Amino acid sequence: MPDPLADIITMLQPHAPISKLVLASGRWRVSRTEVRQVYYCMMLAGSARLAVEHKSPVILEPGDFALVPAAFNFEMSSIEPPVKGEQSVRVRQADGSFRVGSLTETADTQSLVGHCVFGSPDAALLVSLLPDLVVVRGEDRLAMLTRLVAEEVHSARSARDVVLEHLLQVLLIEALRSSPDATAAPGLLRGLADERLAPALRMMHAAPDQNWTVAKLAREAGLSRSAFFARFSRQVGAPPMDYLVSWRMTMAKQLLRNGQKSVSEVAAQIGYGSASAFSFAFSRQVGQPPGHYAKSGEAPPAP
């Protein structure tokens, strides 16, 4: 049976990473505002403070791995950062590493930092299903994967881009499935961690063409209709049928972009009894008819 988390990471198409070793000393602060980039950090030595917008700061220690799939503003700094607003200059060293903070003191903090982007046109929708911050402590597999990504980034071996894409997919999946379930924000991760909701989520992903109703999904979960609706909405962050429609439309957009299926075939594959019913639902969700979307390959700009 398909795995919803694997489905989403694969569809996100992570690629074009940047990986670098960062050494820091003294008081320092580096802020990020690239909302379309994924940020990850493996602490190798020392301690650092990670502050993500609207969340309490987190202290990272050696062996800790942090992942920010998408955040409007966040910053990494020393435990005691400089005065508010002061940013540190990043200085590239001869060996390719970067220094921040005091350049005259011995570096007391080392971290392996990486950025990547999602190639999917539906990245915003897919990322919204993931937590906005993941911190995993002392997971050796993540340390190994992070180092493999860094080595591949700086190599010139054949099939480098293919290897990197697959490594990044594994890295993201490992980070997300290793994160403490209790701390995850409402979304797919919390839904899959719920033993009652996970079967229903997997069925929606495995058979989107089925005529699912809240009652049928509730039976898969072994819950009453009202209990399932309330629990799904609370854990996933959206009512079950809203989630199903979003997933169906994400699949539909991918199928239409591929250009190998007609509108009627796409409608049947994702669970609509007629092309007209699918066209109405697609237009309402995406903002243009599926035929127009198939020709353009992209959604219309947001107003």
Side-chain angles (χ1 to χ4, degrees), residues 63-67 134-139 142 174-176 178-180:
D64 291 352
F65 179 88
L67 172 71
V134 172
V135 176
V136 182
R137 303 190 186 277
E139 179 59 59
L142 283 170
E174 188 65 31
L176 291 165
S178 299
S179 65

Side-chain angles (χ1 to χ4, degrees), residues 1-14 120 126 129-130 169 173 188 192 201-208 243 247 250-251 254:
M1 182 177 293
D3 185 318
L5 182 58
D7 285 347
I8 286 175
I9 297 300
T10 302
M11 291 179 71
L12 280 169
Q13 303 169 28
S120 170
L126 294 168
L129 301 174
L130 304 177
Q169 288 180 4
I173 290 173
L188 179 64
L192 290 173
L201 280 164
R202 292 193 176 99
M203 290 304 296
M204 281 190 268
H205 279 250
Y243 179 90
W247 178 242
T250 301
M251 290 188 64
Q254 186 179 50

Side-chain angles (χ1 to χ4, degrees), residues 10-278:
T10 302
M11 291 179 71
L12 280 169
Q13 303 169 28
H15 68 283
I18 298 171
S19 182
K20 54 195 174 186
L21 179 66
V22 178
L23 299 93
S25 56
R27 294 194 176 195
W28 55 276
R29 175 191 287 113
V30 178
S31 298
R32 311 297 303 187
T33 56
E34 295 91 338
V35 296
R36 294 185 180 180
Q37 289 192 346
V38 185
Y39 172 85
Y40 58 88
C41 171
M42 171 64 71
M43 288 299 298
L44 303 177
S47 303
R49 178 179 178 271
L50 172 61
V52 176
E53 189 177 40
H54 306 312
K55 288 186 173 293
S56 300
V58 176
I59 303 301
L60 300 178
E61 304 287 353
D64 291 352
F65 179 88
L67 172 71
V68 185
F72 289 105
N73 290 293
F74 68 96
E75 65 177 34
M76 286 279 291
S77 70
S78 51
I79 303 300
E80 294 185 12
V83 296
K84 187 174 181 180
E86 182 180 333
Q87 296 292 313
S88 300
V89 177
R90 285 162 285 186
V91 179
R92 187 182 180 91
Q93 306 294 290
D95 61 0
S97 64
F98 286 79
R99 281 294 304 262
V100 295
S102 173
L103 301 180
T104 59
E105 301 177 44
T106 302
D108 53 20
T109 300
Q110 292 185 31
S111 57
L112 195 58
V113 173
H115 304 271
C116 66
V117 295
F118 293 138
S120 170
D122 308 313
L125 172 63
L126 294 168
V127 168
S128 71
L129 301 174
L130 304 177
D132 49 11
L133 171 64
V134 172
V135 176
V136 182
R137 303 190 186 277
E139 179 59 59
D140 292 339
R141 287 166 61 90
L142 283 170
M144 176 185 66
L145 285 166
T146 307
R147 287 188 174 91
L148 284 173
V149 169
E151 289 173 8
E152 199 66 32
V153 166
H154 299 290
S155 75
R157 288 180 286 185
S158 59
R160 170 183 174 275
D161 291 344
V162 175
V163 172
L164 272 172
E165 182 173 350
H166 288 292
L167 278 175
L168 285 166
Q169 288 180 4
V170 176
L171 176 66
L172 293 172
I173 290 173
E174 188 65 31
L176 291 165
R177 73 181 185 180
S178 299
S179 65
D181 302 326
T183 62
L188 179 64
L189 213 58
R190 267 180 58 174
L192 290 173
D194 189 311
E195 62 181 11
R196 291 297 186 92
L197 299 182
L201 280 164
R202 292 193 176 99
M203 290 304 296
M204 281 190 268
H205 279 250
D209 59 323
Q210 295 298 305
N211 183 27
W212 293 115
T213 63
V214 173
K216 288 180 180 179
L217 292 168
R219 284 197 295 271
E220 293 289 340
L223 296 168
S224 69
R225 186 182 182 280
S226 59
F228 171 76
F229 183 91
R231 188 162 171 168
F232 192 102
S233 302
R234 181 176 66 253
Q235 296 288 70
V236 179
M241 301 315 292
D242 286 5
Y243 179 90
L244 178 61
V245 169
S246 293
W247 178 242
R248 281 174 168 170
M249 293 306 154
T250 301
M251 290 188 64
K253 286 191 282 186
Q254 186 179 50
L255 291 168
L256 290 167
R257 285 195 300 269
N258 288 342
Q260 297 178 352
K261 293 182 181 292
S262 66
V263 172
S264 297
E265 290 171 327
V266 172
Q269 186 166 335
I270 65 169
Y272 285 86
S274 69
S276 59
F278 165 62

